Every structure is written in structure tokens, then in C-alpha cells.
Amino acid sequence: MNKVTIIGLGYVGLSLAAFLGTKTNVVGVDSNSERISILERGKSYFYEPKLEYYLKKSMNKGLKFEHEVSSNTLSSDFVFVTVGTPINNDKIDLRNIKNVIQKISELLSNVKQCPSIVIKSTVIPGTTDQIIKPILSEYGLKEYIDFNLLTNPEFLKEGSAMHDTVFPHVIVIGGSNEKPIKKLVNFYNCVYPKKQKIIQTNNITAEVIKYANNSFLATKLSFINSIANLCQRLPGTNVDKIAEVIGMDPRIGNQFLRAGPGYGGSCFPKDVQALISFANSVGYKPDLLDAVKRTNLDQITSVLNLIKNNLKTLEGKRITILGSAFKENTDDIREAPALSIIDALTTLGATITAYDPEAMATARTIFGDAIQLEKTNYAAIENADGLLLLTEWQAFRNPNFERLKIMMRNPVIFDGRNIFDPVHLRQMGFNYYGIGRK
């Protein structure tokens, strides 16, 4: 049985640890002691469907947690590095991964094994070969003797992280030597009993694949929002029907063609910007990606204009926001459209009440007393002059509209995710406004 160490227990690292722990010996490492304390109780410090189920199952099979890298934790067959690589001044910040590799380099001479260091963190092209490998070499460590170095990007989605970890649509492995690549391939073939798609390439190609993947998905979202904004100016058009039909084309596919307030979260904004900055650094101006980023930012303005044009003034108005997470099934509000929209609405004089099934605690840390956070969606809607839905939680899809109409001061619904039936709501007496549903 292989021994696996996972350094960095964020969405990627913890999901991987919770799954692999059901298959083999796993040690999870994270420098945040408070985070480790929560995990040792079989709890997750963020919301992700089925994560705690797999976490407890793995702990029953021996999954352990440590708060620092040691010679013991490096005595593994595979050391997966899954620390965060945030954006800082529009460029990717590699300090976390550099610190981890530095620590590994200091300890590896005391380790008898030759572990495969597997980079799963999202890093700009060339990082593995031009930054990580030289750090290891500075300590006199030799590749294929003291360590193997591979790139293995992750493609999971928040809200379905466990499903995507357990059932990956593809596994990409980058490396410069066939033997360590084959070792990781064999490991994955044992972990995934069904025939798994595994693509083998070099490190830099694997790094580009990750950015290309996320940037293309972001492009699809910005594209359909551009079509939605066109439909907003064409009476009788419906972007949902347009998206449905073009999604039937097998060359396009139906995923990521939902009009809305724009993409957010920890991946798309960061990865698109990182790829733009990297392209500029090598002398290429990525006009398409610049447009994708600009279109996404403009979508916030489109939603605000929809509200302002129909309520006329926001001064003294009470607006209810349903959903602060950037998508359903997560409590992550990083780069969520709700953040910019709430800031703009309060600046224009509106009073905000809000509710999200899972993201209330994180919203409270950001907004404090600036907005009113309620314990239920109905409590948030009381006496509202307008309701803005921003996250497509299942709990929001079928409310009691008769009750809503009675509770609201002004029965106006701005459907930022196009999940409600506009004909039904207008027949009930609501003023309904969707995205691209003119």
C-alpha cells in the first residue's frame, strides 16, 4: 500500500485527502493549527457536499493530520503539493509554494526514500521546471535519485469537489522522465478501478492545460452574458432558449452557458488574470482574455443597471439579496458578484438584507453591520422593495410566491440566475426582470 502526503488542505488538498484516505495511507499537512484542530474532529472548516462523509470514512481508515512538514511526512511514495497560489497585484503569488518546496528541500536529505513531489497547485507555465526544480537543486538534491518532480493539475469545481475528485473526467500528468510518470499512472490505476483517462505530457504543457481549461470555461460564461445583454435590448428574445439550442451543438456543449451576474470564486478570476499577466510577460497581448475579463466585470454593471432602471431610485429602498456565495453548494464568497453588487447598492443609498444557506458566516466577516443578515430567506424578504437572486441554491427555486407577494412592500423580482418562470410570476402580479429575458 502506497503512503501519500498532501501539503495544503484547501478545497483541492482536503478533497484529495478525504478521498485517497479511503484507498491508502494518507497524511494531510497544513500550517494552520486551527484548521487542523477542526479536521481532527472529523469536521470540515468549509462547506462542501459529501466532504465530511469521506473525511470521517478516511479517518476511520487511518487518515492523519499534521501542522508542519517533517522528515516523517516526506517519507512517502507521493508528496502532493496543493497550497494556494493567489493573485497579488494582477500576478500570481508563488510565495506559498516556494516556502513549501524550501522546507521540503531542507528535510529531504534526511529521507531515505525518493518521493515523487507532485505539484497540484495552479502555477504559471514554467514554474515546475524553472522555479521549483532549482530550489531543490540548490540543496544538492538530484532528480530521480533524491526526488521525482511531476505536475498533476486538478479540475474540480467547488460545490462538486468530492464528486470531481472521486470521478475525474481526466487526469493530466506532466514530467520529464517516463519512470516516475508511470509510477503515478500505476497509483491512479489502483485508486480508480474503472478505466480512467490519463494524459501524459511534460510539465509546462500540463501547467498550460490547467489555465487553458479554466480560461475557456470563463470565456463561455462571458460569451453567453454578452448574448444576454444583447437580448436585453431586443423585445421578445430569451437568452435561455438561445443557450439551450447552441448547447445542443456537440462542438459547443451545454455546460457554462447560463447567463447570470458573472463568474467568481477562487479559480476563474485568478486564473484568467494570471494567464493574461503571463502572456504579457512573454510578449503576447491576449486580447480575447482581456475581453473575457472586461465582459465579466461589466456584467456587474449590467445587473445594477437592470435594478436602477426599474426602481428609478435606490435611496431609502430596502433590497433583499438571496445568495452571497459565488455559486450553489459552497460557502465560498471570494470574487462573488454579490460583493460588488452589495457595495454598489449601499453606495446608492439602499438598505440591504441578505440570506445564504451556507455563506452567512463568511459574509458577516466581510460586511459586518453594513448589511442585515437574516436566518431565513423569508425573514430577509420582509418589507423588501425588491428581491435580487444571485445564487441558484435549490432552496431558492420554489419559494411560496403568494407569501412573498404579501411580505414584500413592492413585488419586484430581479432574477440574476434565470431560475424562475417569468410568465407565472407576471401572472401573479410580480414585476419580473431576468438576465437576457426581455
Side-chain angles (χ1 to χ4, degrees):
M1 184 177 289
N2 292 111
K3 182 180 177 183
V4 171
T5 295
I6 299 170
I7 304 175
L9 299 175
Y11 280 89
V12 172
L14 188 55
S15 299
L16 186 66
F19 169 61
L20 291 184
T22 66
K23 304 289 184 179
T24 192
N25 295 323
V26 177
V27 176
V29 182
D30 197 287
S31 59
N32 189 317
S33 299
E34 183 179 351
R35 185 178 291 182
I36 292 298
S37 179
I38 295 171
L39 295 176
E40 286 179 335
R41 298 197 300 270
K43 300 290 184 181
S44 172
Y45 64 93
F46 58 84
Y47 176 74
E48 181 65 40
K50 296 187 178 180
L51 175 55
E52 288 191 356
Y53 165 79
Y54 278 95
L55 185 60
K56 291 173 182 176
K57 187 176 179 181
S58 290
M59 292 179 72
N60 287 336
K61 291 196 170 187
L63 171 63
K64 303 293 183 185
F65 298 106
E66 302 285 349
H67 71 273
E68 63 180 5
V69 181
S70 65
S71 298
N72 185 52
T73 57
L74 294 179
S75 297
S76 295
D77 297 286
F78 302 99
V79 177
F80 291 96
V81 179
T82 57
V83 294
T85 51
I87 284 288
N88 187 8
N89 295 324
D90 286 343
K91 293 184 179 180
I92 191 170
D93 188 340
L94 295 174
R95 280 179 293 182
N96 290 337
I97 198 164
K98 285 180 179 178
N99 290 338
V100 167
I101 298 301
Q102 186 87 25
K103 186 65 175 178
I104 290 173
S105 301
E106 293 171 359
L107 297 169
L108 209 52
S109 60
N110 299 321
V111 176
K112 293 181 180 180
Q113 284 182 258
C114 175
S116 290
I117 300 170
V118 185
I119 307 301
K120 292 189 81 69
S121 300
T122 302
V123 293
I124 56 171
T127 298
T128 303
D129 290 331
Q130 298 169 21
I131 295 176
I132 294 175
K133 190 180 294 185
I135 293 175
L136 290 158
S137 299
E138 284 176 9
Y139 285 78
L141 301 169
K142 293 181 173 57
E143 193 171 10
Y144 316 128
I145 297 174
D146 301 305
F147 68 90
N148 296 311
L149 188 59
L150 301 169
T151 308
N152 180 209
E154 192 63 64
F155 300 99
L156 60 79
K157 305 179 293 294
E158 289 183 42
S160 62
M162 284 312 309
H163 177 274
D164 296 341
T165 302
V166 177
F167 304 103
H169 71 278
V170 68
I171 292 174
V172 175
I173 301 173
S176 55
N177 185 284
E178 178 64 26
K179 188 174 180 180
I181 291 176
K182 190 65 177 175
K183 179 182 175 184
L184 185 55
V185 168
N186 290 338
F187 171 70
Y188 278 135
N189 283 334
C190 292
V191 169
Y192 299 104
K194 294 182 180 178
K195 191 160 184 174
Q196 177 66 50
K197 289 183 181 177
I198 299 179
I199 304 300
Q200 301 176 41
T201 183
N202 56 33
N203 287 316
I204 194 168
T205 301
E207 292 164 340
V208 174
I209 286 171
K210 172 64 176 182
Y211 279 109
N213 190 88
N214 279 356
S215 295
F216 183 74
L217 295 177
T219 300
K220 288 185 74 174
L221 288 169
S222 286
F223 170 80
I224 200 62
N225 280 333
S226 295
I227 299 300
N229 291 334
L230 173 63
C231 291
Q232 205 70 36
R233 292 161 174 79
L234 299 173
T237 55
N238 187 328
V239 72
D240 297 336
K241 186 60 66 176
I242 294 167
E244 178 185 356
V245 175
I246 67 174
M248 291 176 180
D249 190 323
R251 298 168 298 177
I252 297 173
N254 61 7
Q255 293 192 55
F256 292 86
L257 285 178
R258 291 288 303 275
Y263 59 76
S266 62
C267 291
F268 287 1
K270 174 178 76 75
D271 291 352
V272 170
Q273 179 56 56
L275 191 53
I276 289 171
S277 296
F278 176 76
N280 284 322
S281 74
V282 296
Y284 173 68
K285 191 174 187 309
D287 293 332
L288 176 60
L289 293 181
D290 281 328
V292 168
K293 177 185 174 182
R294 186 171 61 252
T295 300
N296 192 61
L297 294 174
D298 289 346
Q299 195 63 16
I300 299 295
T301 303
S302 297
V303 173
L304 290 170
N305 287 339
L306 186 67
I307 298 170
K308 289 190 291 184
N309 292 341
N310 290 287
L311 291 183
K312 307 307 180 186
T313 180
L314 287 166
E315 187 67 41
K317 294 291 177 69
R318 184 181 175 91
I319 307 296
T320 295
I321 304 289
L322 291 186
S324 54
F326 82 95
K327 62 177 288 190
E328 77 277 20
N329 294 329
T330 181
D331 59 356
D332 193 350
I333 63 176
R334 286 175 289 180
E335 303 289 340
L339 302 182
S340 299
I341 291 173
I342 289 173
D343 281 342
L345 291 175
T346 54
T347 299
L348 292 169
T351 298
I352 303 297
T353 60
Y355 172 73
D356 187 288
E358 295 292 339
M360 297 300 283
T362 47
R364 189 170 286 108
T365 62
I366 291 177
F367 293 109
D369 297 328
I371 66 174
Q372 187 175 332
L373 297 171
E374 297 290 353
K375 294 182 178 179
T376 69
N377 56 341
Y378 291 108
I381 291 165
E382 186 78 42
N383 294 321
D385 293 298
L387 184 160
L388 172 59
L389 185 137
L390 289 177
T391 312
E392 60 271 41
W393 284 97
Q394 188 63 37
F396 295 159
R397 291 180 179 273
N398 296 295
N400 185 330
F401 287 111
E402 292 287 357
R403 181 179 176 186
L404 259 60
K405 188 177 178 183
I406 295 170
M407 295 177 70
M408 295 179 71
R409 193 156 53 196
N410 186 16
V412 181
I413 292 179
F414 300 98
D415 186 358
R417 296 291 182 174
N418 289 355
I419 67 172
F420 299 138
D421 181 349
V423 175
H424 176 65
L425 289 183
R426 286 168 183 153
Q427 288 174 345
M428 290 184 66
F430 284 93
N431 291 318
Y432 172 91
Y433 305 96
I435 306 296
R437 288 174 159 182
K438 183 62 176 174

